[in-house]
Amino acid sequence: MIEAEAAKCLDCGACTASCDILPAIDPARPGSLARQVLAGELGMREEWFIPRCALCRRCETACPAQVRIADMVTAMRSLLIAEGRIDVERYRAMWVDYDWNAISLFRDTYALGVPSERVASSPLAFMPGCSLFNEGYELLPALMRLLDGVCGAKVALLPDCCGMPLAEMGLRTRYERFADGLWERIADAGYEEVLVACPNCLAQLESRGEALGVRVTSVYERLACAGVKAPARPGVTVSVHDSCPARGTQLGAWVREILSGYDLREMECCGDKSRCCGSGGAVSLFDFTMREVRAQRRAEEFARTGADWCVCACMSSCSTLDVPPASGRVRHVLELVLDQEIDRAECRRKMDLMWQGDQGARNEHRLAHSRPLAKER
């Protein structure tokens, strides 16, 4: 895969201007970088770049040769991990194919589970995604009732992870095994359609769902097509942060339709040209400072719009962008639809507390000694 994509690269540099870190290794280009990796001639600059790429695909919108740069970078990560040049243990907190990780530990610490009435058999399931399930748990009762009404049937709740963190880390074999298990559970449950709230889940699941005869639909598409709109608040203006996985899709249009009662003020970089919020590419697990730099830049871009709220369709983006000068001004679109705000300060407090005291020691021990959910095949 790396060789084929590298061969397409024109080394023209069109992608460099759209990236926040490619200029740091200029004049190296993605294609030449990949060829160096394949030849075993990787330099320090290139080795610095590969784990810090946000995989946001913004560069791909500028590429005249349509090189799949993000896929090439994740494949290069796989090679560097295999060679021991990237320490895979740095990603352990998000090994979603292991019994204990940051997501499962949070749910266990605060007893977050699926209500019994949402486990019942149904042809429809709602998959909120890891962050929305954990950080927006209080939204789920009202949201599930809304979906029941929109869909005309009782909707089951699917709390599973799509496996995206594994794919972004470059752990391709583990990701595929994890994804196989997820689709087996979907098939066993008899779901004919899975509604997803997370843009990452949509990007990871849509094509395979189509191949398996299971429709994977964005919940924002379903809500927008049903005429559901967020109750407008007079005088409140919003700016929409478009998530990187939504690039090239209609997701942003559906979100804006839901928010059509608000005065919209677009950021300079929006739609397919949107910048990463900082949570992409599993970069925060490798270089947290890079996450902070990207979040700060995007928060400042939002502030320049003069809008009251920065609205996201991705809960990870909400958490990441809640930094000055956007602090307290970030909302998930479903908060506006349901007219129910999430207490982000409380959520951050819970995240901190789960790693403190006796509970923190227990969680640290469980994370350090976590085990695979499925046996190697």
Side-chain angles (χ1 to χ4, degrees):
M1 180 271 165
I2 300 178
E3 188 172 0
E5 291 301 311
K8 291 161 54 179
C9 180
L10 305 175
D11 288 332
C12 66
C15 57
T16 303
S18 65
C19 181
D20 61 349
I21 61 172
L22 267 176
I25 62 169
D26 195 52
R29 312 295 187 209
S32 60
L33 190 156
R35 289 188 286 273
Q36 286 178 257
V37 170
L38 291 172
E41 300 172 352
L42 194 65
M44 290 182 63
R45 293 183 306 167
E46 292 76 24
E47 194 169 346
W48 173 87
F49 168 82
I50 291 170
R52 290 170 176 81
C53 171
L55 306 178
C56 68
R57 300 186 186 272
R58 191 169 186 256
C59 55
E60 296 179 11
T61 65
C63 178
Q66 298 182 318
V67 179
R68 293 183 297 161
I69 299 171
D71 292 344
M72 196 162 60
V73 170
T74 54
M76 288 190 283
R77 287 180 180 178
S78 296
L79 286 180
L80 294 187
I81 287 172
E83 294 173 0
R85 299 179 75 162
I86 291 180
D87 180 8
V88 72
E89 284 289 331
R90 296 177 74 161
Y91 297 115
R92 178 177 278 270
M94 288 300 290
W95 284 0
V96 295
D97 58 338
Y98 274 46
D99 52 1
W100 295 117
N101 51 68
I103 297 164
S104 61
L105 286 170
F106 186 91
R107 293 181 184 183
D108 181 77
T109 301
Y110 298 107
L112 306 185
V114 178
S116 58
E117 70 272 15
R118 293 297 173 181
V119 181
S121 177
S122 169
L124 288 167
F126 172 57
M127 185 173 176
C130 303
S131 295
L132 179 57
F133 188 93
N134 283 16
E135 299 172 40
Y137 191 75
E138 61 265 40
L139 299 180
L140 293 181
L143 177 57
M144 296 303 292
R145 290 193 296 270
L146 174 62
L147 293 179
D148 288 347
V150 167
C151 297
K154 191 81 169 180
V155 179
L157 183 58
L158 182 62
D160 297 50
C161 176
C162 68
M164 178 272 294
L166 298 173
E168 290 194 332
M169 293 170 200
L171 302 175
R172 191 70 198 179
T173 300
R174 286 170 56 177
Y175 164 71
E176 290 173 353
R177 184 164 54 246
F178 183 87
D180 287 344
L182 170 61
W183 283 105
E184 286 174 10
R185 292 191 294 278
I186 290 173
D188 291 344
Y191 298 138
E192 298 170 7
E193 181 176 8
V194 177
L195 303 173
V196 295
C198 175
N200 286 300
C201 291
L202 183 65
Q204 293 294 327
L205 303 180
E206 192 172 24
S207 60
R208 184 161 179 180
E210 182 178 354
L212 295 175
V214 178
R215 185 179 177 189
V216 178
T217 311
S218 168
V219 72
Y220 311 113
E221 176 184 9
R222 180 58 69 92
L223 293 176
C225 290
V228 174
K229 296 185 186 298
R233 298 190 183 187
V236 177
T237 56
V238 300
S239 185
V240 174
H241 166 71
D242 293 292
S243 301
C244 297
R247 222 178 291 279
T249 75
Q250 292 299 307
L251 193 148
W254 297 324
V255 170
R256 286 166 174 79
E257 178 62 26
I258 292 169
L259 298 174
S260 58
Y262 285 82
D263 177 18
L264 176 65
R265 300 183 183 180
E266 296 285 17
M267 287 187 240
E268 178 185 353
C269 297
C270 60
D272 286 352
K273 294 183 179 180
S274 179
R275 294 184 183 276
C276 178
C277 68
S279 65
V283 175
S284 63
L285 299 169
F286 194 91
D287 185 344
F288 191 78
T289 299
M290 182 65 70
R291 171 191 185 271
E292 292 181 312
V293 168
R294 286 174 169 146
Q296 182 71 41
R297 179 193 59 206
R298 190 61 168 163
E300 290 172 354
E301 187 177 350
F302 155 69
R304 289 194 293 272
T305 68
D308 297 302
W309 291 341
C310 176
V311 182
C312 311
C314 172
M315 188 59 78
S316 291
S317 294
C318 288
S319 304
T320 306
L321 292 176
D322 193 27
V323 295
S327 298
R329 300 165 63 191
V330 183
R331 301 288 186 277
H332 193 283
V333 61
L334 293 175
E335 292 180 73
L336 304 190
V337 168
L338 301 171
D339 197 19
Q340 181 180 344
E341 291 186 11
I342 294 171
D343 187 340
R344 289 197 164 75
E346 174 63 11
C347 189
R348 284 193 296 272
R349 188 185 72 84
K350 285 183 175 180
M351 289 182 179
D352 289 341
L353 284 176
M354 66 181 283
W355 301 109
Q356 296 177 15
D358 291 342
Q359 180 66 67
R362 180 168 179 257
N363 284 339
E364 290 280 7
H365 178 82
R366 290 194 290 182
L367 181 62
H369 296 85
S370 57
R371 294 290 180 266
L373 291 169
K375 293 181 179 179
E376 298 284 341
R377 286 189 283 178

